């Protein structure tokens, strides 16, 4: 059994190593193409942001647990790697299982800690932000960490499958630890509301009951359905917080823009360029000044182009 776990662990770490090497190789090979463009865009005055290597933290690293909740969202200095209660419970099981070698757990824990530091230790944060201090979309590389969480959870599920004697006790311990963490962080810093915490615990109980019955033929399908329901609920909760504009306001803006452009084209159908002196988010709480390629959206010849 240990040989199987050792082989799985080696496969995981070899895959991660090859992935990181591919990232480095891809960046190195493409740099000669993009670097001149970057220098040109900065009018030949490209500068290296040395301050990104100052040894400081962007936030409290414990928020990585606080934000692992239905409805959790990321802010600067506070990342959310939420990918389901099942993943968290299986990761806890991975570490409480006696079937996985201690050295393997230590390697996994070390890499998880490194991934966590990538979000909170400023030099690593700056490196993943493109060797600069990111001012938006801070954790777009979070999917790499989530992929590793899912991989560790898969190893935990494999351990549950092999662990017939102590499965129930270790599953219960994993669920209890998950519940304690969720409740503790909510009471210390009630950011999302206790209802989301209880919802997480309810899903944890459901997964606990399902994982106890691994012999059920349709158990994998049941897990898939449960995860889909949970992720849909999470998406609904996140959208309520991260929505950027009311639908009716957007429709009204589009209609007014189309009427305005049509009237201009009817007045003079010749070729000329049109500039816009405001946009739909300029006077909102976001105070966005970018035009987001409205010439392409509404079919007129503009004088500006937006590129992130």
């Amino acid at each position: 059994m240990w040989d199987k776990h050792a082989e799985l662990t080696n496969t995981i770490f070899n895959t991660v190593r090859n992935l990181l090497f591919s990232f480095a190789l891809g960046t190195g090979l493409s740099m000669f193409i993009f670097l001149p463009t970057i220098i040109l865009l900065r009018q030949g005055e490209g500068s290296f942001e040395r301050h990104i290597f100052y040894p400081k933290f962007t936030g409290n690293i414990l928020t990585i647990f606080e934000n692992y909740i239905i409805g959790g969202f990321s802010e600067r200095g506070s990342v959310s790697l939420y990918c389901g209660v099942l993943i968290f419970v299986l990761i806890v099981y991975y570490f409480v299982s006696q079937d996985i070698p201690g050295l393997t757990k230590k390697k996994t824990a070390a890499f998880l800690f490194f991934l966590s530091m990538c979000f909170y230790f400023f030099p690593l944060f700056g490196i993943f932000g493109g060797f600069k201090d990111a001012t938006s979309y801070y954790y777009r590389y979070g999917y790499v960490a989530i992929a590793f969480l899912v991989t560790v959870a898969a190893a935990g599920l494999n351990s549950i499958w092999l662990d017939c004697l102590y499965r129930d006790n270790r599953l219960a311990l994993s669920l209890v630890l998950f519940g304690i963490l969720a409740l503790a962080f909510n009471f210390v810093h009630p950011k999302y509301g206790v209802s989301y915490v209880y919802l997480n615990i309810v899903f944890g109980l459901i997964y606990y009951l399902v994982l106890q019955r691994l012999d059920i033929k349709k158990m994998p399908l049941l897990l898939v359905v449960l995860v889909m329901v949970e992720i849909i609920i999470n998406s609904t909760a996140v959208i309520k917080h991260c929505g950027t504009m009311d639908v009716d306001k957007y429709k009204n803006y589009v209609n007014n823009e189309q009427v305005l452009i049509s009237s201009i084209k009817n007045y003079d159908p010749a070729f000329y360029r049109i500039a816009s002196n405001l946009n739909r988010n300029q006077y909102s709480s976001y105070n966005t000044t970018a035009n987001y390629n409205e010439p392409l959206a509404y079919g007129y010849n503009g004088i500006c182009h937006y590129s992130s």
Side-chain angles (χ1 to χ4, degrees):
M1 185 180 300
W2 281 31
D3 291 339
K4 291 182 178 179
H5 282 299
E7 182 181 352
L8 177 61
T9 303
N10 288 332
T11 301
I12 292 172
F13 280 98
N14 288 335
T15 302
V16 172
R17 182 193 62 193
N18 293 336
L19 179 64
L20 294 176
F21 176 75
S22 299
F23 286 164
L25 183 63
T27 303
L29 291 176
S30 60
M31 187 178 296
F32 76 96
I33 297 177
F34 293 108
L35 191 58
T37 305
I38 294 172
I39 294 175
L40 182 63
L41 288 174
R42 296 174 68 100
Q43 299 179 350
E45 299 178 359
S47 62
F48 186 75
E49 298 186 5
R50 295 180 177 84
H51 73 279
I52 68 168
F53 292 108
Y54 292 167
K56 62 180 181 178
F57 288 87
T58 61
N60 186 347
I61 195 171
L62 294 179
T63 56
I64 202 169
F65 297 104
E66 175 187 299
N67 292 331
Y68 200 96
I69 186 173
I70 291 176
F73 54 88
S74 295
E75 299 174 300
R76 184 183 174 89
S78 177
V79 67
S80 174
L81 299 176
Y82 180 84
C83 49
V85 173
L86 177 63
I87 301 300
F88 196 102
V89 172
L90 290 176
I91 291 175
V92 176
Y93 190 95
Y94 174 90
F95 285 103
V96 301
S97 174
Q98 298 297 318
D99 301 317
I100 299 175
L103 180 60
T104 301
K105 294 179 184 178
K106 291 177 182 178
K107 290 180 179 179
T108 304
F111 193 70
L112 286 173
F113 179 73
F114 169 75
L115 289 176
S116 301
M117 292 293 284
C118 290
F119 302 109
Y120 292 93
F121 189 51
F122 191 62
L124 292 175
F125 173 77
I127 290 173
F128 278 96
F131 290 93
K132 64 182 184 64
D133 187 3
T135 56
S136 63
Y137 300 101
Y138 312 109
Y139 306 116
R140 62 187 80 194
Y141 55 94
Y143 295 103
V144 178
I146 290 176
F148 187 71
L149 293 180
V150 173
T151 304
V152 176
L157 181 60
N158 182 66
S159 182
I160 292 177
W161 189 274
L162 298 173
D163 185 8
C164 299
L165 186 59
Y166 301 105
R167 176 192 303 165
D168 294 349
N169 293 336
R170 290 170 182 167
L171 269 175
L173 177 60
S174 301
L175 181 62
V176 169
L177 290 174
F178 169 73
I180 291 174
L181 280 173
L183 288 170
F185 279 103
N186 177 74
F187 286 118
V188 171
H189 187 196
K191 181 177 180 180
Y192 297 103
V194 72
S195 59
Y196 286 120
V197 177
Y198 290 146
L199 186 57
N200 268 31
I201 294 175
V202 167
F203 270 105
L205 286 169
I206 294 173
Y207 289 127
Y208 168 73
L209 296 174
V210 173
L211 291 172
Q212 281 185 314
R213 303 290 182 267
L214 287 177
D215 54 333
I216 298 178
K217 192 172 183 180
K218 295 184 179 180
M219 189 274 292
L221 178 61
L222 181 59
L223 282 178
V224 169
V225 173
L226 286 172
V227 170
M228 289 177 63
V229 171
E230 182 189 352
I231 296 302
I232 290 173
I233 294 174
N234 174 68
S235 300
T236 304
V238 171
I239 286 174
K240 289 181 180 178
H241 172 79
C242 298
T244 58
M245 192 173 191
D246 183 84
V247 174
D248 292 331
K249 289 182 179 179
Y250 176 73
K251 289 181 178 179
N252 184 56
Y253 178 87
V254 171
N255 291 333
N256 291 337
E257 192 81 358
Q258 290 174 336
V259 170
L260 180 62
I261 296 301
S262 296
S263 64
I264 294 175
K265 287 183 175 181
N266 291 334
Y267 177 77
D268 186 355
F271 180 88
Y272 48 87
R273 296 193 178 275
I274 302 174
S276 175
N277 58 4
L278 61 85
N279 62 78
R280 60 186 171 88
N281 282 333
Q282 189 165 343
Y283 298 106
S284 68
S285 59
Y286 296 95
N287 193 29
T288 305
T289 57
N291 287 291
Y292 295 122
N293 292 328
E294 292 196 350
L296 291 175
Y298 302 110
Y300 64 90
N301 303 309
I303 62 173
C304 60
H305 169 73
Y306 175 81
S307 178
S308 176

